[in-house]
Amino acid sequence: SVATGKYASGSEVIRAGLRTLQERDVIIEDWLKEQVSGTYDAIMRGEQPTHDVGAVFDRLRTAHCAQAIA
């Protein structure tokens, strides 16, 4: 912070924050391109199995309840 001397001014703090957000955006964009888009395309071509969301949540609920009882 400016008070501790880490940054010279408030605008320097803002610039550092914006740089951090931009770096995060690049990481997310790379992940989307490298991981998600290929899987999405495979699902749309019928080459990747999918799971019913309701069934997944039912299994999670069952497992969670079993752990809570134990």
Side-chain angles (χ1 to χ4, degrees):
S1 77
V2 177
T4 63
K6 183 174 181 180
Y7 297 98
S9 67
S11 62
E12 195 174 300
V13 172
I14 298 297
R15 281 193 297 275
L18 290 173
R19 275 193 301 276
T20 300
L21 290 173
Q22 288 172 334
E23 291 168 3
R24 182 209 59 189
D25 288 350
V26 167
I27 291 168
I28 291 171
E29 196 66 34
D30 289 346
W31 172 73
L32 287 170
K33 287 177 186 173
E34 295 171 11
Q35 304 277 327
V36 176
S37 65
T39 301
Y40 174 80
D41 292 342
I43 289 170
M44 296 310 290
R45 290 189 305 267
E47 300 168 354
Q48 178 77 28
T50 59
H51 303 279
D52 176 66
V53 173
V56 170
F57 276 105
D58 288 344
R59 286 195 303 269
L60 288 170
R61 240 182 252 103
T62 301
H64 178 72
C65 288
Q67 284 182 336
I69 293 171

